[in-house]
Amino acid sequence: MTITTTATATATPATSAVPAVPAVPAVPTVPTVTARTVAVTARTVAVGAARVHYDVHAAGNTSAGHASAAPALLLVHGTGSGGAVINWGRTAPRFTSSRTVITPDLSGADRTVDDGGELTVEGLAAQVIGVVEDAGGAPVDLLGFSMGAPVAAAVAALRPDLVHRLVLVAGWAHTEGDEYLRNLFTLWERLGEHDPAGFGRSVTMTGFSRGFLNGVGREGVEALIPNMPPTPGTLRHVALDLGVDIRALLPRITAPVLVVGCTRDATVPVENSRELAAAIGGSAYAEIDAGHVVFFEKEDEFVRTVTDFLDV
């Protein structure tokens, strides 16, 4: 995959160095993408106490002066201070041939600056809303992964005028009452405080399926471990994960919804996605045979599943 990236604007200085896009070994085949130039415009918008960084990716017929008729696609990242770069650095260009892609960094991510306060789903939803409005205010197709799924669902419930279609990937509706999730996120908090190396191994072990880890081998696994260090921003996200409860918001979603579950997910087990789909009336549901980080393990199938739903 050959991608040339050109920055066309600068952003407010970040609180720490921007992480590199993770080099995940391909197994067993590498997706083929036609070489093209992807222009990335970096922007910031003030939302409350935060200066929210976001990137606008455009290529082909979505470049300046040739905007696509399709709604922009906004991708909401999951837990981890690496934010959009770590989650979407490899995958966002796969969507730019037919639409503009927007990738915000929510509070807790390295490239967004705020007061360091407690995070809430509604507060992060307000940041996504601020990005959509700053980017033009037109309804977007909205995709949330992991922690980003309840955030995206909250955006669709609170501002239905801004959401054209909604995709929720490896998400969940509530943590309290789910002893698996509560204990996993509590373990992450403890490891983050007392055993940073153990934290990296834990999130890698639960983030990817056994088959994927064995497929990339020891060198590949060791390369994955540093991608989500237990920084203060990451641990703010984990604290938010422990308090997620969007059940009261789900009946307010009116946009067409696709929920995607991952059958080998050891972070947010697939039953959570099934329950999320059941709680959103009229939603479509799909499963991909992969671990939690499905867009690394099954990139082609993930992109095809999402685009088939969005392009209806």
Side-chain angles (χ1 to χ4, degrees):
M1 178 168 63
T2 302
I3 301 171
T4 303
T5 304
T6 56
T8 57
T10 57
T12 300
T15 55
S16 62
V18 176
V21 177
V24 180
V27 289
T29 60
V30 179
T32 301
V33 179
T34 303
R36 61 183 182 270
T37 298
V38 178
V40 181
T41 304
R43 302 176 181 173
T44 58
V45 58
V47 180
R51 292 286 301 175
V52 180
H53 175 279
Y54 69 99
D55 289 328
V56 179
H57 309 247
N61 66 346
T62 61
S63 59
H66 298 82
S68 168
L73 172 61
L74 191 148
L75 305 174
V76 186
H77 65 78
T79 299
S81 59
V85 173
I86 291 294
N87 275 191
W88 308 122
R90 285 164 48 96
T91 310
R94 297 290 302 273
F95 296 106
T96 56
S97 62
S98 60
R99 63 181 68 229
T100 298
V101 177
I102 303 170
T103 54
D105 285 284
L106 306 179
S107 278
D110 293 326
R111 297 192 295 178
T112 284
V113 181
D114 70 0
D115 60 3
E118 180 181 358
L119 302 179
T120 65
V121 168
E122 291 80 5
L124 296 189
Q127 294 184 2
V128 174
I129 291 167
V131 168
V132 175
E133 292 178 334
D134 190 67
V140 299
D141 288 331
L142 183 60
L143 184 152
F145 163 68
S146 191
M147 180 191 78
V151 172
V155 173
L158 297 170
R159 288 294 304 273
D161 57 307
L162 295 181
V163 180
H164 180 253
R165 283 179 175 262
L166 177 66
V167 182
L168 305 176
V169 180
W172 74 105
H174 63 99
T175 304
E176 185 62 35
D178 187 318
E179 285 305 300
Y180 181 90
L181 289 180
R182 187 185 67 83
N183 276 279
L184 179 64
F185 297 146
T186 300
L187 175 64
W188 285 2
E189 283 193 321
R190 302 287 174 83
L191 290 173
E193 182 179 355
H194 300 292
D195 185 2
F199 178 92
R201 291 193 181 279
S202 177
V203 298
T204 300
M205 182 177 68
T206 60
F208 299 91
S209 67
R210 178 173 178 267
F212 180 84
L213 294 175
N214 286 334
V216 301
R218 179 172 297 184
E219 183 177 351
V221 170
E222 294 300 318
L224 288 170
I225 290 170
N227 285 334
M228 189 171 149
T231 62
T234 294
L235 295 180
R236 290 172 72 196
H237 287 166
V238 175
L240 179 148
D241 293 338
L242 273 164
V244 164
D245 189 346
I246 59 167
R247 287 173 289 184
L249 292 174
L250 297 179
R252 298 169 59 179
I253 296 174
T254 58
V257 180
L258 171 66
V259 177
V260 180
C262 305
T263 60
R264 301 180 188 274
D265 194 338
T267 300
V268 181
V270 68
E271 290 83 5
N272 295 89
S273 290
R274 294 170 184 166
E275 293 168 3
L276 188 58
I280 303 174
S283 62
Y285 181 68
E287 288 185 355
I288 297 178
D289 187 26
H292 188 64
V293 192
V294 58
F295 43 85
F296 281 2
E297 291 199 21
K298 296 287 183 71
E299 185 177 358
D300 279 351
E301 187 175 353
F302 171 78
V303 171
R304 182 171 61 252
T305 300
V306 171
T307 54
D308 285 350
F309 173 73
L310 296 182
D311 291 345
V312 171

